[in-house]
Amino acid sequence: MKINGNELPKRIFKLIQEDKWIRPADTSKLLRLIVEKSPFEDDQSLLTKMVKGFTLYGLESMKRESISFKKWAESGESVMLHGKKDTLVKPGEVDPDKLILFADFGLGEDTPFGLDFQEDESAPTVVLLYYGKDPFKDNRWVELTKSFEEFEELVMT
């Protein structure tokens, strides 16, 4: 299945088909990962609150959110959404054409998790958008894991 021209990893499709595409009961591993990877001096209490709202999208939501993200990014708020290129934080910015959004921290948080196909169209990395002090200048996309399978092993099991 393709979203925005990118092939959804077979593992995600299989989890959805088997009704195993569910939020982990214990989000402490996710919290450790996002705190460890944060490019900013974040308040851990804020990330702790946010992680409680961790939500995985269904297929239709993945399509809708990915397409909406692309349209919104093209509307002029691109720095806020694309992120900012950064030599210390990989990837820093994303290409909306090379991204499938698959989760977030809940309604209104606008902090998506994505599958980033920029470097390898057949093996996306898992990225998260971190907000800086000035979201129109400081936001960064950060690679959380080298693959969805690694993300699943670290966070969802």
Side-chain angles (χ1 to χ4, degrees):
M1 167 181 226
K2 288 192 175 196
I3 298 175
N4 274 353
N6 303 294
E7 191 69 39
L8 186 67
K10 288 178 177 42
R11 180 66 185 149
I12 292 177
F13 196 69
K14 183 177 181 186
L15 289 169
I16 291 170
Q17 286 181 316
E18 295 175 352
D19 289 326
K20 294 179 181 175
W21 184 244
I22 55 173
R23 176 187 189 278
D26 178 8
T27 56
S28 64
K29 293 186 259 182
L30 176 60
L31 179 60
R32 275 194 304 276
L33 179 63
I34 63 173
V35 167
E36 172 190 312
K37 297 287 183 160
S38 177
F40 304 114
E41 296 293 325
D42 281 319
D43 177 2
Q44 188 169 340
S45 64
L46 174 63
L47 292 175
T48 300
K49 275 189 216 172
M50 290 175 67
V51 81
K52 290 177 182 175
F54 180 65
T55 304
L56 294 165
Y57 299 157
L59 288 175
E60 289 306 312
S61 293
M62 283 184 217
K63 287 181 202 174
R64 183 182 63 247
E65 293 297 320
S66 297
I67 290 167
S68 294
F69 176 84
K70 184 177 170 181
K71 288 179 182 175
W72 193 27
E74 292 168 351
S75 75
E77 307 229 4
S78 61
V79 173
M80 181 178 172
L81 297 173
H82 286 201
K84 183 177 179 182
K85 202 158 203 58
D86 188 327
T87 57
L88 300 176
V89 176
K90 183 182 173 187
E93 66 180 349
V94 294
D95 176 352
D97 288 322
K98 300 288 183 183
L99 190 69
I100 296 176
L101 301 181
F102 71 91
D104 64 30
F105 286 130
L107 189 61
E109 291 297 335
D110 293 328
T111 307
F113 289 77
L115 299 166
D116 183 9
F117 294 82
Q118 288 182 105
E119 289 188 17
D120 188 335
E121 292 185 8
S122 62
T125 60
V126 172
V127 294
L128 173 64
L129 178 62
Y130 285 85
Y131 276 70
K133 290 193 187 315
D134 181 343
F136 292 96
K137 295 179 183 173
D138 299 331
N139 292 358
R140 304 289 191 285
W141 284 89
V142 176
E143 181 180 290
L144 296 178
T145 59
K146 297 280 183 204
S147 67
F148 175 76
E149 292 76 14
E150 182 184 359
F151 180 82
E152 178 185 20
E153 185 178 310
L154 285 173
V155 171
M156 298 177 67
T157 57

